[in-house]
Amino acid sequence: MANLGQVIVGFLIIGIVACVDSAEEQVVTYVFGDSLTEVGNNNYLQSLAKSNFPFYGIDYEGGKATGRFTNGRTIGDIISAKLGVPSPPPYLSLAPNDDAILKGVNYASGGAGILNDTGLYFIQRMTFDDQIKSFEKTKEAIKAKIGQEAAEKHVNQAVYFIGMGSNDYVNNFLQPFLAAGQQYTHDEFVELLTSTLGEQFTRLHQLGARKMIFHGLGPLGCIPSQRVKSTRRICLKQVNLWVQEFNSKVEKLVATLNKHLPYAQISFADTYPIVLDLIENPTSYGFKISNTSCCNVDTSVGGLCLPNSKLCNNRREYVFWDAFHPTDAANAVLADKIFTTLFHQASSSPAPAPTPTPRKFLMTLINLD
């Protein structure tokens, strides 16, 4: 339902954002996305895109399925644990006037897409437009709590992480029985995606969002749900080319919006090469298998790990948990790799400098200063 590349840098920064010295004002994070960033919103919906059942969560604390689409922790959980802070809670778990909304909210929903008709067959899910409307309600609740002037400052200073687009391909354009794949050429489809995304960025900006990070798509042609379409179980080259075209157009869109939206600081995070390296060279990272999933899923009925599915003997040997999502072990390796790499880059400037604090590192990454 989502791709790994969208969230690596985003979740890294989420953890770092929250790790602020107690003497400093805490930076608040609002998360928009799909099943890789979801932490339980779909538990509250009549949705077919759910993971609050075994064997999801089998390696999570207590062996409990929470609505995370993996056998254990998400990358956000891992980074947050490193820094001793909690991840933002799911929006639908909170009362409208809950004080927790002042500390950040996660609106992500499995099956969500940029387009409203993406994931339609999941029945209920919070599309990106729905998530933006939910954030608008959050802002109104914040205004009621702290007043309009303080609320505007609050939303202006918050950081917004957005991971959208993979479902628009996997659960829309690439499905032969859905209208988008028949109605549009890819050139037309990618233009529709980027123009819609531009309108959504603009709406968030109108609501006060200034510091936004959009995570580009990873190599969707290499996830198990797409490999099964190849007789040799290899990556689908055409799908990956389409993904790279989408990433390129979104990067240009972000540059344009930064020029035209007052005070906008939108960043594009390209994690495609990092995820591709893990998939193409799994043994370099301690894995044995990256071309299929640990859970023996049936891609003809969704590709999720159902309670009657058969699991692999060693979950740590697999990069993918189900047809779409990484294992806890893969999340751990990627979180450690990206965390270490980015801290090294931030502390290796030409002029000698002390290793940056988490807050200074965050400012370097997303140019908040």
Side-chain angles (χ1 to χ4, degrees), residues 221-241:
C222 296
I223 65 176
S225 73
Q226 298 304 301
R227 282 182 184 261
V228 296
K229 299 176 182 180
S230 163
T231 56
R232 293 187 294 154
R233 296 295 192 266
I234 61 174
C235 296
L236 301 186
K237 182 178 179 181
Q238 184 59 68
V239 173
N240 284 346
L241 289 174

Side-chain angles (χ1 to χ4, degrees), residues 20-239:
V20 180
D21 293 339
S22 58
E24 301 180 46
E25 182 179 358
Q26 176 155 333
V27 179
V28 176
T29 62
Y30 293 101
V31 183
F32 302 81
D34 48 36
S35 54
L36 261 169
T37 48
E38 185 183 343
V39 292
N41 278 311
N42 284 14
N43 295 352
Y44 301 87
L45 301 175
Q46 296 299 315
S47 177
L48 295 178
K50 285 188 176 182
S51 58
N52 58 342
F53 52 81
F55 293 102
Y56 289 95
I58 189 173
D59 296 310
Y60 194 72
E61 184 178 355
K64 182 181 179 182
T66 62
R68 289 163 169 83
F69 286 79
T70 181
N71 59 308
R73 303 159 296 170
T74 66
I75 292 177
D77 294 325
I78 297 165
I79 296 299
S80 295
K82 283 177 176 291
L83 300 169
V85 295
S87 298
Y91 170 75
L92 293 178
S93 72
L94 302 172
N97 62 346
D98 197 310
D99 287 343
I101 63 176
L102 294 169
K103 299 179 181 179
V105 179
N106 186 315
Y107 302 92
S109 173
I114 295 168
L115 304 179
N116 287 327
D117 60 356
T118 288
L120 197 61
Y121 50 67
F122 294 126
I123 308 176
Q124 285 191 317
R125 73 273 180 245
M126 294 169 64
T127 68
F128 193 14
D129 280 344
D130 292 333
Q131 294 178 37
I132 294 171
K133 291 174 185 175
S134 297
F135 171 68
E136 186 172 9
K137 293 178 182 178
T138 298
K139 182 181 176 183
E140 289 302 312
I142 292 172
K143 255 198 278 190
K145 283 182 175 293
I146 62 178
Q148 182 165 350
E149 184 176 348
E152 290 297 337
K153 180 179 179 182
H154 176 91
V155 297
N156 285 168
Q157 292 181 340
V159 183
Y160 301 79
F161 302 98
I162 305 164
M164 286 285 184
S166 62
N167 281 316
D168 294 288
Y169 281 94
V170 174
N171 289 305
N172 193 338
F173 186 74
L174 296 176
Q175 294 288 2
F177 56 85
L178 294 179
Q182 303 173 17
Q183 183 177 354
Y184 303 106
T185 65
H186 183 258
D187 286 345
E188 293 168 339
F189 186 68
V190 77
E191 288 299 331
L192 175 63
L193 285 181
T194 52
S195 62
T196 304
L197 187 60
E199 294 169 1
Q200 291 161 334
F201 275 131
T202 301
R203 286 209 302 279
L204 278 173
H205 182 270
Q206 290 168 345
L207 289 171
R210 295 295 180 264
K211 307 173 185 74
M212 295 178 261
I213 300 175
F214 183 86
H215 317 297
L217 303 185
L220 290 178
C222 296
I223 65 176
S225 73
Q226 298 304 301
R227 282 182 184 261
V228 296
K229 299 176 182 180
S230 163
T231 56
R232 293 187 294 154
R233 296 295 192 266
I234 61 174
C235 296
L236 301 186
K237 182 178 179 181
Q238 184 59 68
V239 173

Side-chain angles (χ1 to χ4, degrees), residues 193-330:
L193 285 181
T194 52
S195 62
T196 304
L197 187 60
E199 294 169 1
Q200 291 161 334
F201 275 131
T202 301
R203 286 209 302 279
L204 278 173
H205 182 270
Q206 290 168 345
L207 289 171
R210 295 295 180 264
K211 307 173 185 74
M212 295 178 261
I213 300 175
F214 183 86
H215 317 297
L217 303 185
L220 290 178
C222 296
I223 65 176
S225 73
Q226 298 304 301
R227 282 182 184 261
V228 296
K229 299 176 182 180
S230 163
T231 56
R232 293 187 294 154
R233 296 295 192 266
I234 61 174
C235 296
L236 301 186
K237 182 178 179 181
Q238 184 59 68
V239 173
N240 284 346
L241 289 174
W242 283 337
V243 164
Q244 291 176 80
E245 182 181 352
F246 171 82
N247 284 346
S248 176
K249 287 185 178 295
V250 174
E251 192 168 14
K252 292 175 182 176
L253 170 67
V254 165
T256 299
L257 292 174
N258 280 331
K259 290 179 181 177
H260 293 95
L261 297 179
Y263 306 108
Q265 299 177 46
I266 310 172
S267 301
F268 176 81
D270 183 11
T271 54
Y272 183 101
I274 301 169
V275 181
L276 185 63
D277 188 54
L278 173 63
I279 294 172
E280 290 185 337
N281 302 292
T283 56
S284 298
Y285 300 93
F287 297 92
K288 291 184 178 180
I289 301 170
S290 63
N291 62 348
T292 190
S293 58
C294 167
C295 185
N296 187 16
V297 299
D298 184 349
T299 56
S300 67
V301 291
L304 293 181
C305 189
L306 302 177
N308 62 350
S309 301
K310 182 179 179 181
L311 300 185
C312 61
N313 291 327
N314 189 342
R315 295 185 285 275
R316 296 186 61 83
E317 295 179 348
Y318 284 72
V319 170
F320 287 97
W321 165 245
D322 59 19
F324 310 96
H325 308 98
T327 58
D328 175 275

